[in-house]
Amino acid sequence: YESRDGRLWMGCKPGGLIEVQRNGVSYTKKHSEVRNVYDITEDKNGVIWAGSFGFGLWRMQENGFEQIAGTEDMRIRQLLITDDNTLLAATAGGLLVVNCETGAIEALHQREGGRETSLSSNALMCLTLFNGSLYIGTEGGGVNRLIGNNWHTKEPRFEHFNEENGLNSDIVHDFMPWSEKELLIQCNNALSILNIEEGT
């Protein structure tokens, strides 16, 4: 990841987070407290965040990185900063919502038995904001689209795209825009294209 100030950040597994600064001469700094790094991002205030698989969420401070309380054992796969400076994290246990200003956990949205519009799976793989909506790829529950895009609510509502309505596989590893109205989805053994306007 390259931050806005030109620093390069490299996440290692099982090693630490490596920071490379360029001020005429390159040098490297290793943040060994952050291990198993799966994703790195920067919030609106220029603060670096790192998601660790098995060691939780970390935020850059003046003297290194601090672990966000309540995330110590979380397995985080991907991070996303929203326009309102909220951090969303795809974890193996649900959708983590963190206030970037305070570092406080706002919510951990999970699959709820009996509520059809909850997440279809707790094992989240990837996140993207596309065409005004949040899309979440899961390991076993296909793709979830957040209805109304309110991740701050207590019971967010999701629409599901899975094998039952045409997705190649319910295991989604990643996705990317394919056109203005289509997402290219990397499933377990194939690619699928989701038309977000038609829901097909």
Side-chain angles (χ1 to χ4, degrees), residues 50 67 91 129 154 159 180:
Q67 191 176 48
T91 82
L129 285 167
K154 184 177 180 181
E159 182 179 8
E180 290 184 359

Side-chain angles (χ1 to χ4, degrees), residues 47-183:
V47 176
I48 299 297
W49 295 77
S52 168
F53 198 80
F55 299 95
L57 181 64
W58 297 78
R59 175 174 65 171
M60 183 181 67
Q61 299 292 295
E62 288 185 8
N63 57 348
F65 279 78
E66 70 167 358
Q67 191 176 48
I68 299 300
T71 70
E72 289 82 0
D73 300 322
M74 285 189 178
R75 294 174 290 167
I76 297 173
R77 290 191 174 103
Q78 192 171 20
L79 304 175
L80 176 69
I81 302 291
T82 67
D83 288 339
D84 65 356
N85 210 25
T86 299
L87 182 140
L88 304 178
T91 82
L95 177 65
L96 179 67
V97 183
V98 175
N99 184 313
C100 287
E101 303 295 332
T102 65
I105 296 176
E106 290 188 2
L108 179 63
H109 300 304
Q110 296 181 312
R111 183 181 182 278
E112 302 169 43
R115 189 165 78 88
E116 291 185 1
T117 56
S118 74
L119 281 169
S120 61
S121 171
N122 285 337
L124 308 188
M125 301 291 284
C126 51
L127 304 167
T128 191
L129 285 167
F130 177 63
N131 210 8
S133 295
L134 174 67
Y135 289 83
I136 303 171
T138 72
E139 186 180 24
V143 175
N144 289 230
R145 175 167 59 189
L146 179 60
I147 300 170
N149 255 17
N150 187 1
W151 37 79
H152 300 289
T153 187
K154 184 177 180 181
E155 292 186 344
R157 297 169 57 242
F158 295 92
E159 182 179 8
H160 308 129
F161 303 96
N162 49 43
E163 287 182 350
E164 291 182 4
N165 51 22
L167 196 64
N168 180 270
S169 169
D170 287 342
I171 299 174
V172 175
H173 294 281
D174 206 356
F175 33 45
M176 62 174 289
W178 186 245
S179 71
E180 290 184 359
K181 63 179 182 178
E182 293 173 317
L183 274 177

